[in-house]
Amino acid sequence: MKNLTIAIDGHASTGKSSIAKELAVKYGYIYINSGSMYRAVTLFAIENNLLKLTKTNINLFIDKLKEISINFKFNDNSLISEIYLNSRNIENEIGGMHVSKLVSEIAAIPEIRKEMVKIQRTIDRGKGVVMDGRDIGSVVFPDADLKLFLTASDSVRAKRRFEEMVKNGLEVSYEDILYNIKNRDLLDSTRSDSPLIIEKDAVVIDNSHMSINDQIDKISKLIKDKFSN
Ligand code: C5P
C-alpha cells in the first residue's frame, strides 16, 4: 500500500489528535497537529502584548512572526511530534484555557493562516502523514488520499475535554469548556478565510458513542477497502 496523506478535520474537542496519533503510530506515518501551531502563535501574542488586533497591530504581528520559529520534534515517550516555539517546548502550555479562549480569533487572520499553511505544506508527505485541524482537507492538502470529518454532541465533547484537563491538573469548569468549544466552532465555521466545512469527499464520523478503538477500526477498514490492492 502506498503511503497516504490523511486529513482529519472537525469540530473542537472531537478527539482528532488522539485518532491522528493512533493512526500515525499504526501506519508509521508522521503526525502533525496543526491546531497546536495556531495555539503557539496565540501564546506568542499573549506573551508579546499583541492581542489588540487592529490593522496596524496585525502588520506588526506578522513582522514579528518572521522572527520566530515553530518546529516539531518527535518525542519517543509520548510518540508525538511536540511543538517548539523558538526552541522552547510549549506542548503542555498551549492546552490551557488562556490560549483556547483567544486562538480562534487569531486563527481567523488571513495573513497568519497563510504563514501556517506555508509551514504545513513543507512536510515531507512521502513517508505518509496524518494532519488534523480545520482546513486540512479543504485548503492544506485538498488532494489528501483520505479526508475524515469528526464530530460529536456538544455535551459529550465538553465532558471529555473537562475530564482530560482535570486529569492534567488544570483548573477549569465544565461550563467554561462547553461555552468555549461552541464559540470556537462558531468562529471557525463562519470566518471568511478557510472556514471549517465538510468537504464533499470527506467521511463524517460522529464519535459521540464511539471509543477510540471503534474509530480506529472503522478508519482502518476504510483504508483497507480503498487502498490495499
Ligand atoms: O485543534 P485545536 O482545537 O487545538 O485548534 C485550536 C484552534 O486553532 C481551532 O479552534 C481553530 O480556531 C484553529 N485552527 C484552525 N485551523 C487549523 C487548526 C486549528 O483555524 N487547521
Side-chain angles (χ1 to χ4, degrees):
M1 191 176 82
K2 70 165 181 162
N3 290 330
L4 307 174
T5 297
I6 304 179
I8 307 185
D9 292 299
H11 292 120
S13 297
T14 43
K16 294 183 293 296
S17 43
S18 307
I19 298 298
K21 176 183 157 182
E22 293 274 330
L23 288 175
V25 170
K26 176 166 181 171
Y27 293 98
Y29 292 175
I30 295 169
Y31 160 50
I32 298 293
N33 176 343
S34 70
S36 65
M37 298 172 67
Y38 292 94
R39 287 176 178 271
V41 172
T42 304
L43 183 65
F44 177 75
I46 295 171
E47 292 180 343
N48 290 276
N49 256 324
L50 294 164
L51 291 170
K52 248 201 231 140
L53 300 173
T54 58
K55 188 77 202 139
T56 323
N57 280 6
I58 289 175
N59 288 339
L60 185 79
F61 195 164
I62 307 302
D63 273 352
K64 285 219 167 209
L65 270 189
K66 293 185 182 125
E67 294 164 23
I68 65 167
S69 67
I70 294 177
N71 293 303
F72 289 92
K73 264 188 225 152
F74 190 75
N75 178 325
D76 293 322
N77 294 320
S78 63
L79 297 182
I80 59 169
S81 298
E82 295 183 337
I83 190 156
Y84 286 72
L85 175 64
N86 290 337
S87 16
R88 166 175 143 222
N89 185 326
I90 54 163
E91 187 67 32
N92 293 329
E93 263 171 272
I94 55 172
M97 282 304 272
H98 62 309
V99 173
S100 298
K101 279 182 180 160
L102 297 163
V103 63
S104 289
E105 258 178 87
I106 304 271
I109 302 169
E111 293 88 340
I112 289 180
R113 302 203 66 79
K114 205 169 136 211
E115 292 303 314
M116 296 303 110
V117 171
K118 217 192 283 171
I119 301 174
Q120 289 151 13
R121 288 194 181 136
T122 60
I123 280 143
D124 177 7
R125 291 204 271 158
K127 297 180 186 117
V129 63
V130 190
M131 193 178 288
D132 75 310
R134 302 296 186 288
D135 62 342
I136 311 305
S138 55
V139 175
V140 183
F141 300 136
D143 63 341
D145 300 291
L146 181 64
K147 298 181 187 179
L148 302 169
F149 187 99
L150 302 194
T151 189
S153 76
D154 297 345
S155 56
V156 164
R157 292 187 285 143
K159 186 167 173 281
R160 284 183 192 151
R161 186 73 169 176
F162 176 70
E163 284 168 359
E164 181 194 324
M165 289 178 90
V166 168
K167 201 172 97 194
N168 292 338
L170 297 167
E171 250 182 61
V172 278
S173 80
Y174 171 84
E175 287 71 25
D176 262 5
I177 292 180
L178 182 63
Y179 174 78
N180 179 255
I181 60 176
K182 283 188 186 175
N183 193 43
R184 278 198 285 137
D185 285 348
L186 180 69
L187 294 173
D188 294 344
S189 11
T190 54
R191 67 183 174 218
S192 49
D193 186 354
S194 321
L196 173 67
I197 50 162
I198 304 179
E199 284 284 279
K200 274 199 213 76
D201 50 349
V203 177
V204 179
I205 299 178
D206 182 332
N207 63 26
S208 303
H209 305 290
M210 289 174 88
S211 67
I212 292 185
N213 279 345
D214 293 340
Q215 295 173 73
I216 296 297
D217 286 350
K218 184 182 166 90
I219 299 164
S220 305
K221 186 166 181 318
L222 279 175
I223 292 175
K224 191 161 171 264
D225 291 347
K226 201 168 166 195
F227 299 102
S228 68
N229 352 342

